[in-house]
Amino acid sequence: MTGRLSGAAADAPPIGVLVVDDDPLVTDGWSAVLQTQEDLEVTGTAHDGAAALAAVDRHPPDVVLMDIRMPVLDGLTATARLAEDHPRVRVVVVTTFESDAHVWAAMRAGAAGFVLKRAPATDLVHAVRTVHAQDALLFPSALRRVAARHTGAGAGPVGAAARDLTGRETEVLHLLARGLSNAEIAAELHVGRETVKTHVGSVLGKLGARDRTHAVVLAYELGYVFPGAG
Amino acid sequence: MSRTVSPTHARAERMAGMTVPAPVRTAARALGGPLGAGWRAWLYLLLGGVLLVPLAAVLAGLLWPVDGLKALALLWLACAAASALLALLPRLRALEASAARDLLGLPAAGGAAAPGLYGLTVAHLVAGATHSAATLFLVVPVVWFAVTGRELPGHGAGAVPAAAIAVLLWVASVYLLGALLRRMGRLMLRPDPARRLAELARRDALARELHDALGHALAAISVQAAALEARLGTEATTPVRGSLAALASASREAQGELDQALGLLREGDGTGPGLESVWRLVAGLSDGPVGGPGRITLGSDLSEAELAGLDAATSRAGYRILQEATTNAVRHADGPVTVRIRRTPKAVALEVTSGPPAAADERAGAAASGHGSGLAGMRRRAALAGGHLDIDRAPTGWIVRAELPG
C-alpha cells in the first residue's frame, strides 16, 4: 500500500503531521498508515495535550491529529490554544464516537474537522489532505449529524451579523455547509471562481469566522443553516 | 395490521416467562373507540378474576360449612387477603405490567419492579374477581332464565325485564370499573422524579464506562488493523488482505453500534432540539434535494410555546422520532408526507403518514441504508421516554404513530 491512496499534487513539499493520542497503539498505528503516503510526513507523536503544544512550538507541523480525552491537558483545551497561538496549524480532532459531546465543542474551539478513530486508512489520509488544502469541508454529512445533535434552537450573538448577509452570500453559505469546494460552488452558481472566493471571504468576515469550517459551524450554531435531516 | 413493540417491556415479559397471549392483545387492539375501551376493560377484569380462581376455589371449599351471606363476606375477605399475597410474586406483577400496558394503555416503567404496580395488582385482582363472580353467579343465571323462558325462583314475574336490567347494569359496571382502575393505575404508576433522576445518572455512568473500556479497545484494534495493512503493503497475499479487511470492518461495525447505543443512552439527559423545532425540521426537509417544497405538511394542535413547555425527555425523543420518520419518508417513499401532532388526555401523539416505500427500496434499502436500524432506533427512543411506537405498514402507505407521556 505504498504510494498514494488518492490523488495528491506532485512536487509539493510533504504535509507535516503531528499525531497526538494517549495510547501508543494508536499513535504507532497511525504513523504507520501516514508514512506509506509519499506526500505526508509524520513529524512526531505526543501522548498528552501539553506535550503536543510543546512539539508544535518546537517544530510546527501543517496538521495535528488530536485525540480529545488525554491526561495532563485534554485535546479540547490544546485545540483552543493552538487556534490562538498557531492559527496556521490545522487541527483534526479524533474521536472514538461521533456521539461524543466534545466533538462539537472542539469544532467551536477551532478544529478544522474531525475524524473517527475507526475510520479506514483512506479516510484518515483524506482528512489530512483536505484540511491542509482548506478548499472544502471535511466529511460534511458527519458534521451535519453532529450539529443536529448538539446545536440548540436559539440564535446567538452572531445572529445579528448573519442577517447582514446578502442573498448571494446566504446561498454560498448553504453550499459551503453541503461541503462544496470553491470550484463546485462556482459551477453551481454559474459564476467565476474569483467571485466565489470574494463571496466566501465576505461570509467569513461577516460571521467573524476563521475559515470555512468555522463559518459552517457558526451557521449551524446560530440556526442559520439547519442541520435538519441526518 | 398494526404492530406494537416496546422492546424493554417485551424483554421483561419474556424473562419473567409470562405474558398476555398475543391473540388477546391483537383482539384488544383490533377494536378502537368506546366499544374497544369497554372490550379491553372487560378483558382486564376477566383476567383479574381468572388469576384468582384457583385460590378462590380452595378458599370456597374451606368455607363451605358456613352458609348464607356470612360465608360470602368471609370468602370475599379471604380473597382480598390472598390477592395481597399473590401480588408479591414478581412473575405475576410482570404479567400485570403487560396487562396494564396493553389493556389499560398505561406503560409501567420498570416492568415488574415498577413502583405502584403492587397496589394496582391487588386492586385489579379484587375488582376482577368480584366482578367476574357477580357475572357468573348473578348476571349469567338471570340471562339464562330469560332465554329459557323460565321464571326467576322466588319471583312470580318473568325474567326478561330482569335480564335486560342485569345486562345494562353489567355493561355499565364494566365501563365504570375499567375507568376506575385506569384512573387508579395512572396515579399509582406515575413515574417518581427521584427515581427518574437516579435512572438517568445510572445510564450516564454506564455510557461512560462503555465508552472508556470498550470504545478504547475497539479503536486500538481498528487502528492496528489499518497499520498492519499499511506495513504489509504489497507483500500481503490475497487471503491475508481478506482477513485484515474482515478484522477492520468487524471492529468498525462494533464501534458504530456502540456509538449509536451510547448516543441513545446519553440523550435522556443531554441537549438537543425538542419538538418546538419541528417547524424548522420540516422547513429544512422542504429545502433539501429529496424533499422539495409542498411535499411535507405539518399540522399541530400545540403551539410552539406549548411544545417548548413539554417534558424535556418527551420533547427530545419526539423530535428525534419525527426527524427519523420524516427523513425515511422523503427518502424511501413516494408522494406527500403528513406530520400530525396531537394532544391526548395523557400523552402527546405523533403521526407521520407517507406513501408506500418505493418497491426496490423496501428490501435492499432497509438493509443497506440502515433504514431497519432506524425503525428499531425510533422504537427504542419511544420506549426510553416511557411511550410506545406503532408502525402501520399498509399497502397504501406507512403510518408511524408514537405516543409519549406529556
Side-chain angles (χ1 to χ4, degrees):
Chain A
M1 206 176 67
T2 48
R4 282 167 184 166
L5 284 167
S6 64
D11 301 333
I15 305 169
V17 185
L18 174 70
V19 180
V20 188
D21 195 297
D22 58 337
D23 185 354
L25 278 177
V26 173
T27 48
D28 290 358
W30 275 348
S31 301
V33 169
L34 297 173
Q35 292 292 16
T36 59
Q37 305 300 303
E38 282 165 18
D39 61 327
L40 307 183
E41 185 190 355
V42 177
T43 60
T45 58
H47 301 293
D48 66 66
L53 291 179
V56 173
D57 281 339
R58 266 198 316 276
H59 182 73
D62 297 298
V63 176
V64 179
L65 287 174
M66 181 85 81
D67 187 24
I68 295 180
R69 286 152 202 259
M70 287 185 296
V72 190
L73 189 72
D74 65 87
L76 215 57
T77 318
T79 301
R81 292 255 187 95
L82 282 180
E84 218 162 88
D85 300 344
H86 298 272
R88 294 173 68 174
V89 174
R90 322 283 296 159
V91 178
V92 176
V93 169
V94 177
T95 177
T96 311
F97 296 113
E98 211 175 85
S99 60
D100 193 329
H102 297 307
V103 172
W104 190 246
M107 297 305 297
R108 280 192 308 193
F114 72 92
V115 64
L116 289 170
K117 243 179 226 188
R118 62 173 178 272
T122 43
D123 279 7
L124 185 68
V125 171
H126 169 72
V128 172
R129 289 195 184 120
T130 305
V131 301
H132 179 66
Q134 294 191 38
D135 186 42
L137 211 58
L138 183 61
F139 306 135
S141 57
L143 183 64
R144 192 184 64 221
R145 282 198 297 278
V146 173
R149 202 174 280 133
H150 295 291
T151 51
V158 266
R163 278 187 275 277
D164 293 340
L165 293 182
T166 65
R168 202 48 146 184
E169 286 161 357
T170 311
E171 274 178 89
V172 169
L173 184 54
H174 275 90
L175 295 174
L176 279 183
R178 273 170 50 192
L180 270 59
S181 68
N182 282 355
E184 287 162 336
I185 294 174
E188 182 90 3
L189 298 180
H190 308 292
V191 295
R193 267 169 100 151
E194 286 309 310
T195 319
V196 172
K197 266 191 184 167
T198 315
H199 286 317
V200 172
S202 59
V203 167
L204 298 194
K206 283 181 182 178
L207 290 177
R210 270 184 302 277
D211 51 37
R212 57 204 294 146
T213 307
H214 195 214
V216 171
V217 166
L218 288 176
Y220 281 138
E221 189 75 12
L222 59 87
Y224 200 60
V225 177
F226 188 60
Chain B
M1 196 183 77
S2 156
R3 223 155 61 103
T4 305
V5 180
S6 161
T8 25
H9 290 292
R11 208 173 308 121
E13 286 157 22
R14 270 200 301 281
M15 276 158 55
M18 287 177 89
T19 178
V20 175
V24 176
R25 277 195 276 186
T26 310
R29 293 214 170 261
L31 282 164
L35 199 62
W39 164 243
R40 282 192 293 273
W42 181 56
L43 275 181
Y44 188 65
L45 288 170
L46 196 62
L47 179 70
V50 167
L51 287 172
L52 210 54
V53 161
L55 268 175
V58 172
L59 290 169
L62 289 176
L63 289 167
W64 194 250
V66 192
D67 51 37
L69 277 176
K70 206 173 154 196
L72 211 59
L74 274 177
L75 182 60
W76 192 84
L77 284 175
C79 282
S83 304
L85 287 175
L86 266 182
L88 292 173
L89 298 174
R91 282 182 174 225
L92 184 82
R93 286 204 308 279
L95 175 64
E96 284 285 321
S98 159
R101 189 188 65 243
D102 290 326
L103 300 173
L104 296 183
L106 297 173
L117 188 60
Y118 175 79
L120 181 65
T121 301
V122 175
H124 176 212
L125 292 179
V126 172
T130 309
H131 188 265
S132 302
T135 307
L136 199 62
F137 297 114
L138 295 176
V139 182
V140 171
V142 171
V143 173
W144 172 254
F145 283 124
V147 170
T148 54
R150 277 188 257 174
E151 288 188 347
L152 288 181
H155 297 267
V160 175
I165 293 172
V167 168
L168 275 178
L169 281 177
W170 182 81
V171 171
S173 72
V174 166
Y175 278 93
L176 206 69
L177 275 176
L180 196 70
L181 285 169
R182 190 174 298 122
R183 174 156 291 210
M184 272 180 72
R186 194 172 304 146
L187 287 174
M188 286 172 153
L189 297 179
R190 200 168 38 188
D192 173 8
R195 273 182 81 100
R196 182 151 171 77
L197 277 179
E199 164 72 11
L200 287 177
R202 199 183 56 76
R203 257 186 226 165
D204 196 46
L206 182 68
R208 243 195 299 266
E209 216 163 288
L210 282 172
H211 176 280
D212 290 353
L214 272 181
H216 202 79
L218 286 170
I221 292 171
S222 59
V223 170
Q224 283 296 315
L228 190 54
E229 206 173 3
R231 282 186 167 126
L232 282 173
T234 48
E235 285 165 43
T237 59
T238 313
V240 169
R241 281 186 179 284
S243 298
L244 268 177
L247 173 62
S249 85
S251 70
R252 264 200 289 280
E253 260 168 48
Q255 284 181 83
E257 280 176 24
L258 190 55
D259 201 356
Q260 206 199 6
L262 292 187
L264 280 178
L265 276 171
R266 288 208 170 108
E267 240 158 51
D269 57 346
T271 54
L275 272 176
E276 71 279 2
S277 302
V278 68
W279 281 273
R280 296 209 304 166
L281 171 69
V282 169
L285 279 171
S286 299
D287 285 348
V290 281
R295 205 178 149 197
I296 309 181
T297 45
L298 168 66
S300 174
D301 292 354
L302 287 89
S303 68
E304 196 167 340
E306 283 172 310
L307 288 172
L310 287 173
D311 171 67
T314 288
S315 185
R316 275 197 297 272
Y319 178 85
R320 293 290 176 214
I321 288 168
L322 286 183
Q323 184 180 36
E324 182 76 35
T326 50
T327 308
N328 278 345
V330 298
R331 278 199 194 139
H332 302 290
D334 294 325
V337 178
T338 314
V339 181
R340 289 275 302 144
I341 303 175
R342 283 177 302 114
R343 180 135 201 87
T344 67
K346 58 178 186 292
V348 181
L350 310 174
E351 197 176 282
V352 176
T353 315
S354 60
D361 232 49
E362 187 156 15
R363 198 175 277 250
S369 68
H371 191 185
S373 76
L375 299 181
M378 284 198 287
R379 292 200 176 106
R380 222 174 296 155
R381 276 181 216 286
L384 277 174
H388 64 90
L389 185 122
D390 303 338
I391 298 170
D392 194 346
R393 298 176 168 91
T396 47
W398 283 30
I399 306 174
V400 176
R401 287 193 192 89
E403 279 206 2
L404 302 170

